[in-house]
Amino acid sequence: MLQGASILLIIGGGIAAYKTLELIRELKKRGCSVRVILTKAGHQFVTPLSIAALSGEKVFDDLFSLTDEVEMGHIQLSRSADLVVVAPATADLMAKMATGQASDLATTALLATDKRVLIAPAMNVRMWQHPATQRNLATLTGDGVAVVGPNAGDMACGEFGPGRMAEPLEIVAAIDALLAGPPAMPAAAALAGRHVLVTSGPTHEPIDPIRYLANRSSGKQGHAIAAAARRAGARVTLISGPVTIPDPAGVETIHVETAQQMLDAVERALPADIAIFAAAVADWRVAAASGEKIKKSGGRTPALALTENPDILATVARHATLRPALVVGFAAETEHLVEHARAKLAAKGCDLIVANDVSLTGSGITGGVMGADRNAVHLVSASGVTSWPTLGKDEVAARLVQHLAGLGAQWA
Ligand code: CTP
């Protein structure tokens, strides 16, 4: 609910800072009050005067200003807001946040806040893709920070790729979703003492030593769930197919390639209290993968005979002795979502299906929800259907973990 919400906006030092003026206008239009902290670097891109004119509030920019501290201390500044938004979240600001620095007013307020934090990263594509930034991002999402963007496109520096700050209206939508949802950080003890097993990513099924069958799963949703379960105090085992995202902090991550290896690792990791199967397991593997590279020979096209992979979710849900108390599956559907999810619930013997409405995200032959950052899901169980709005994958993860923790009576 944006009307009447109070936003603390921290403007970092990036070229995208100019877009925050539009963001302030859009938020004000929707009845929010906006207080702004402008970092030292942010001063290079926007002026306190234009911010004050648009926000109708004094701009805060110096940790050690006695007048500011008397009027409103930095702790109070960070707590009086309903939500803290960092835009643009530069690589530097993200690094400082991830390491808990408190070197200026912005970082001090971020460390002192007890409210949800949303970051809108913006930086050069190489800086965004650098393992250090991706590590910091994983730490931040693991800490419950929500993320909007960055988008891919032409960049001010002349390069192309992900790194452009989300558009003001996208940030407004993310703020709206966060204000509407439950607090992201489930009570730290909600899953304390529980063992949560999560599968994530694709599987790679070898054709020969250098080729394989795979799918486009990025692992973002499964990894976000593992991180959220960890935040809720669980011991988490994540069994991941090949992905390019980092292992979540504090989570035991086992890397596998094939469906069979994933099943073996899952069985070894049992017993668990909750098992969440977010991996996009290849349904088939090549019946007889070649030990040697298959060579072109006389224009003949090799025929690949396929055989079905074990269904990991169904195997665990039907485990005679070690079935976890809660078994959760995922389903990607483009039509008849609820009927298909109900059928899957019964066919696989699980307690809950998280159904992805992939038709809403423009799933074409080249992608769609796979690899994207947002997800529209419906929770389908024997007791009914709960639909959530389109949310960031970390928000889906936080809500799912909260939901499962709330089902505690079933597995206490
Ligand atoms: N799953 C699994 N092992 C497999 C196949 C799927 O554990 N060999 C799990 C997935 O992790 C997911 C759910 O089962 O939780 C998805 O089931 P699936 O039958 O593959 O459904 P869809 O991917 O939605 O595809 P389809 O509707 O075509 O069956």
Side-chain angles (χ1 to χ4, degrees):
M1 179 62 176
L2 289 166
Q3 180 69 40
S6 156
I7 309 293
L8 176 63
L9 173 63
I10 296 176
I11 303 180
I15 188 77
Y18 77 90
K19 290 193 203 170
T20 58
L21 297 178
E22 186 62 25
L23 174 63
I24 296 169
R25 262 166 48 90
E26 294 293 344
L27 288 170
K28 293 288 288 180
K29 233 164 61 187
R30 288 164 176 76
C32 297
S33 68
V34 185
R35 280 215 173 95
V36 174
I37 295 178
L38 185 60
T39 63
K40 197 163 164 228
H43 269 99
Q44 305 296 323
F45 298 92
V46 281
T47 66
L49 196 60
S50 41
I51 297 167
L54 286 169
S55 68
E57 304 244 8
K58 169 183 166 46
V59 176
F60 296 83
D61 56 6
D62 186 353
L63 177 57
F64 303 107
S65 152
L66 202 55
T67 342
D68 284 1
E69 279 300 309
V70 170
E71 283 173 7
M72 168 162 308
H74 60 277
I75 307 281
Q76 197 194 341
L77 185 60
S78 71
R79 302 230 174 123
S80 60
D82 297 309
L83 186 75
V84 183
V85 178
V86 185
T90 57
D92 179 62
L93 254 177
M94 284 176 63
K96 285 183 170 144
M97 288 172 74
T99 48
Q101 293 182 43
S103 48
D104 58 7
L105 180 58
T107 49
T108 309
L110 283 161
L111 207 56
T113 189
D114 56 355
K115 296 298 170 4
R116 292 226 54 193
V117 177
L118 171 71
I119 60 171
M123 64 197 74
N124 165 273
V125 55
R126 301 247 177 276
M127 291 170 76
W128 172 250
Q129 287 169 341
H130 195 285
T133 303
Q134 291 301 310
R135 226 174 15 247
N136 293 335
L137 178 69
T139 303
L140 292 172
T141 54
D143 288 346
V145 170
V147 186
V148 55
N151 296 334
D154 288 321
M155 310 201 57
C157 54
E159 291 188 57
F160 181 88
R164 280 166 64 99
M165 190 172 86
E167 294 304 319
L169 287 179
E170 292 176 295
I171 301 176
V172 169
I175 292 172
D176 197 15
L178 282 177
L179 291 172
M185 264 186 257
L191 291 177
R194 302 290 171 188
H195 181 207
V196 175
L197 181 68
V198 183
T199 69
S200 183
T203 63
H204 285 182
E205 309 295 333
I207 297 171
D208 66 18
I210 57 164
R211 304 181 178 101
Y212 55 83
L213 296 178
N215 59 62
R216 297 183 193 278
S217 169
S218 65
K220 283 180 187 166
Q221 186 64 81
H223 279 53
I225 292 168
R230 177 74 198 112
R231 281 205 307 280
R235 173 167 81 83
V236 183
T237 309
L238 172 65
I239 294 155
S240 173
V243 293
T244 55
I245 54 176
D247 297 348
V251 168
E252 187 196 353
T253 306
I254 298 162
H255 296 271
V256 297
E257 297 236 329
T258 66
Q260 186 59 53
Q261 290 167 0
M262 189 173 273
L263 174 62
D264 294 343
V266 164
E267 289 189 316
R268 271 197 301 275
L270 292 173
D273 298 290
I274 303 177
I276 303 165
F277 295 90
V281 182
D283 289 317
W284 303 280
R285 65 178 180 277
V286 177
S290 170
E292 305 297 333
K293 182 183 170 195
I294 303 171
K295 304 290 283 180
K296 287 192 289 294
S297 62
R300 271 204 323 270
T301 309
L304 291 179
L306 301 180
T307 185
E308 201 162 320
N309 267 329
D311 191 314
I312 305 167
L313 165 59
T315 306
V316 171
R318 302 230 150 80
H319 204 289
T321 51
L322 293 177
R323 185 193 193 279
L326 278 179
V327 177
V328 180
F330 272 71
E333 308 289 354
T334 53
E335 54 174 4
H336 308 304
L337 185 126
V338 174
E339 294 100 289
H340 285 163
R342 283 218 171 94
K344 215 160 273 178
L345 195 69
K348 305 221 178 197
C350 54
D351 304 295
L352 184 73
I353 289 278
V354 181
N356 260 328
D357 194 346
V358 287
S359 66
L360 287 182
T361 47
S363 87
I365 197 156
T366 53
V369 76
M370 289 201 163
D373 288 316
R374 296 173 73 71
N375 232 348
V377 306
H378 307 260
L379 303 193
V380 182
S381 71
S383 57
V385 182
T386 308
S387 298
W388 290 342
T390 303
L391 298 166
K393 288 185 174 176
D394 55 341
E395 187 65 14
V396 169
R399 284 197 187 201
L400 179 64
V401 164
Q402 257 195 350
H403 181 80
L404 297 176
L407 297 175
Q410 292 184 20
W411 44 278

PDB file of all heavy atoms in Angstrom, residues 96-110:
ATOM      1  N   LYS A  96      29.732  -2.179   0.612  1.00  0.00           N
ATOM      2  CA  LYS A  96      29.714  -1.648   1.984  1.00  0.00           C
ATOM      3  C   LYS A  96      28.563  -2.268   2.776  1.00  0.00           C
ATOM      4  O   LYS A  96      28.718  -2.610   3.945  1.00  0.00           O
ATOM      5  CB  LYS A  96      29.581  -0.129   1.960  1.00  0.00           C
ATOM      6  CG  LYS A  96      30.899   0.541   1.561  1.00  0.00           C
ATOM      7  CD  LYS A  96      30.789   2.047   1.602  1.00  0.00           C
ATOM      8  CE  LYS A  96      32.174   2.678   1.448  1.00  0.00           C
ATOM      9  NZ  LYS A  96      32.121   3.912   0.686  1.00  0.00           N
ATOM     10  N   MET A  97      27.414  -2.402   2.121  1.00  0.00           N
ATOM     11  CA  MET A  97      26.272  -3.001   2.811  1.00  0.00           C
ATOM     12  C   MET A  97      26.565  -4.461   3.166  1.00  0.00           C
ATOM     13  O   MET A  97      26.251  -4.927   4.261  1.00  0.00           O
ATOM     14  CB  MET A  97      25.028  -2.975   1.908  1.00  0.00           C
ATOM     15  CG  MET A  97      24.415  -1.612   1.717  1.00  0.00           C
ATOM     16  SD  MET A  97      23.115  -1.643   0.458  1.00  0.00           S
ATOM     17  CE  MET A  97      21.808  -2.477   1.355  1.00  0.00           C
ATOM     18  N   ALA A  98      27.172  -5.188   2.203  1.00  0.00           N
ATOM     19  CA  ALA A  98      27.412  -6.618   2.417  1.00  0.00           C
ATOM     20  C   ALA A  98      28.400  -6.853   3.547  1.00  0.00           C
ATOM     21  O   ALA A  98      28.363  -7.890   4.212  1.00  0.00           O
ATOM     22  CB  ALA A  98      27.897  -7.262   1.123  1.00  0.00           C
ATOM     23  N   THR A  99      29.297  -5.880   3.755  1.00  0.00           N
ATOM     24  CA  THR A  99      30.299  -6.066   4.810  1.00  0.00           C
ATOM     25  C   THR A  99      29.938  -5.272   6.065  1.00  0.00           C
ATOM     26  O   THR A  99      30.737  -5.170   6.991  1.00  0.00           O
ATOM     27  CB  THR A  99      31.700  -5.651   4.307  1.00  0.00           C
ATOM     28  OG1 THR A  99      31.596  -4.378   3.668  1.00  0.00           O
ATOM     29  CG2 THR A  99      32.246  -6.660   3.324  1.00  0.00           C
ATOM     30  N   GLY A 100      28.766  -4.701   6.076  1.00  0.00           N
ATOM     31  CA  GLY A 100      28.278  -4.043   7.293  1.00  0.00           C
ATOM     32  C   GLY A 100      29.050  -2.802   7.696  1.00  0.00           C
ATOM     33  O   GLY A 100      29.235  -2.539   8.879  1.00  0.00           O
ATOM     34  N   GLN A 101      29.507  -2.026   6.694  1.00  0.00           N
ATOM     35  CA  GLN A 101      30.269  -0.820   7.043  1.00  0.00           C
ATOM     36  C   GLN A 101      29.339   0.318   7.447  1.00  0.00           C
ATOM     37  O   GLN A 101      28.173   0.347   7.061  1.00  0.00           O
ATOM     38  CB  GLN A 101      31.121  -0.400   5.859  1.00  0.00           C
ATOM     39  CG  GLN A 101      32.208  -1.425   5.573  1.00  0.00           C
ATOM     40  CD  GLN A 101      33.107  -1.014   4.440  1.00  0.00           C
ATOM     41  OE1 GLN A 101      33.514   0.141   4.351  1.00  0.00           O
ATOM     42  NE2 GLN A 101      33.421  -1.964   3.589  1.00  0.00           N
ATOM     43  N   ALA A 102      29.866   1.203   8.250  1.00  0.00           N
ATOM     44  CA  ALA A 102      29.084   2.357   8.706  1.00  0.00           C
ATOM     45  C   ALA A 102      29.967   3.582   8.642  1.00  0.00           C
ATOM     46  O   ALA A 102      30.298   4.198   9.642  1.00  0.00           O
ATOM     47  CB  ALA A 102      28.602   2.116  10.126  1.00  0.00           C
ATOM     48  N   SER A 103      30.352   3.939   7.397  1.00  0.00           N
ATOM     49  CA  SER A 103      31.354   4.985   7.240  1.00  0.00           C
ATOM     50  C   SER A 103      30.744   6.342   6.908  1.00  0.00           C
ATOM     51  O   SER A 103      31.438   7.340   6.905  1.00  0.00           O
ATOM     52  CB  SER A 103      32.342   4.572   6.144  1.00  0.00           C
ATOM     53  OG  SER A 103      31.638   4.121   5.011  1.00  0.00           O
ATOM     54  N   ASP A 104      29.466   6.381   6.598  1.00  0.00           N
ATOM     55  CA  ASP A 104      28.813   7.670   6.340  1.00  0.00           C
ATOM     56  C   ASP A 104      27.344   7.552   6.734  1.00  0.00           C
ATOM     57  O   ASP A 104      26.917   6.516   7.260  1.00  0.00           O
ATOM     58  CB  ASP A 104      28.980   8.094   4.871  1.00  0.00           C
ATOM     59  CG  ASP A 104      28.413   7.073   3.899  1.00  0.00           C
ATOM     60  OD1 ASP A 104      27.768   6.106   4.363  1.00  0.00           O
ATOM     61  OD2 ASP A 104      28.607   7.229   2.689  1.00  0.00           O
ATOM     62  N   LEU A 105      26.576   8.574   6.470  1.00  0.00           N
ATOM     63  CA  LEU A 105      25.180   8.558   6.915  1.00  0.00           C
ATOM     64  C   LEU A 105      24.393   7.432   6.242  1.00  0.00           C
ATOM     65  O   LEU A 105      23.617   6.731   6.901  1.00  0.00           O
ATOM     66  CB  LEU A 105      24.522   9.910   6.628  1.00  0.00           C
ATOM     67  CG  LEU A 105      23.054  10.023   7.051  1.00  0.00           C
ATOM     68  CD1 LEU A 105      22.884   9.757   8.536  1.00  0.00           C
ATOM     69  CD2 LEU A 105      22.482  11.393   6.684  1.00  0.00           C
ATOM     70  N   ALA A 106      24.618   7.241   4.912  1.00  0.00           N
ATOM     71  CA  ALA A 106      23.859   6.219   4.186  1.00  0.00           C
ATOM     72  C   ALA A 106      24.115   4.836   4.769  1.00  0.00           C
ATOM     73  O   ALA A 106      23.184   4.093   5.096  1.00  0.00           O
ATOM     74  CB  ALA A 106      24.229   6.255   2.705  1.00  0.00           C
ATOM     75  N   THR A 107      25.389   4.463   4.914  1.00  0.00           N
ATOM     76  CA  THR A 107      25.703   3.117   5.386  1.00  0.00           C
ATOM     77  C   THR A 107      25.316   2.942   6.857  1.00  0.00           C
ATOM     78  O   THR A 107      24.892   1.868   7.271  1.00  0.00           O
ATOM     79  CB  THR A 107      27.200   2.793   5.169  1.00  0.00           C
ATOM     80  OG1 THR A 107      27.976   3.884   5.667  1.00  0.00           O
ATOM     81  CG2 THR A 107      27.515   2.586   3.706  1.00  0.00           C
ATOM     82  N   THR A 108      25.438   4.015   7.624  1.00  0.00           N
ATOM     83  CA  THR A 108      25.049   3.936   9.036  1.00  0.00           C
ATOM     84  C   THR A 108      23.543   3.692   9.150  1.00  0.00           C
ATOM     85  O   THR A 108      23.096   2.844   9.932  1.00  0.00           O
ATOM     86  CB  THR A 108      25.423   5.242   9.770  1.00  0.00           C
ATOM     87  OG1 THR A 108      26.783   5.516   9.501  1.00  0.00           O
ATOM     88  CG2 THR A 108      25.223   5.112  11.259  1.00  0.00           C
ATOM     89  N   ALA A 109      22.780   4.432   8.350  1.00  0.00           N
ATOM     90  CA  ALA A 109      21.324   4.257   8.386  1.00  0.00           C
ATOM     91  C   ALA A 109      20.954   2.844   7.947  1.00  0.00           C
ATOM     92  O   ALA A 109      20.070   2.213   8.526  1.00  0.00           O
ATOM     93  CB  ALA A 109      20.660   5.295   7.479  1.00  0.00           C
ATOM     94  N   LEU A 110      21.666   2.323   6.933  1.00  0.00           N
ATOM     95  CA  LEU A 110      21.364   0.976   6.445  1.00  0.00           C
ATOM     96  C   LEU A 110      21.663  -0.087   7.503  1.00  0.00           C
ATOM     97  O   LEU A 110      20.978  -1.092   7.607  1.00  0.00           O
ATOM     98  CB  LEU A 110      22.159   0.692   5.163  1.00  0.00           C
ATOM     99  CG  LEU A 110      21.580   1.361   3.920  1.00  0.00           C
ATOM    100  CD1 LEU A 110      22.607   1.461   2.798  1.00  0.00           C
ATOM    101  CD2 LEU A 110      20.341   0.588   3.448  1.00  0.00           C
TER     102      LEU A 110
END
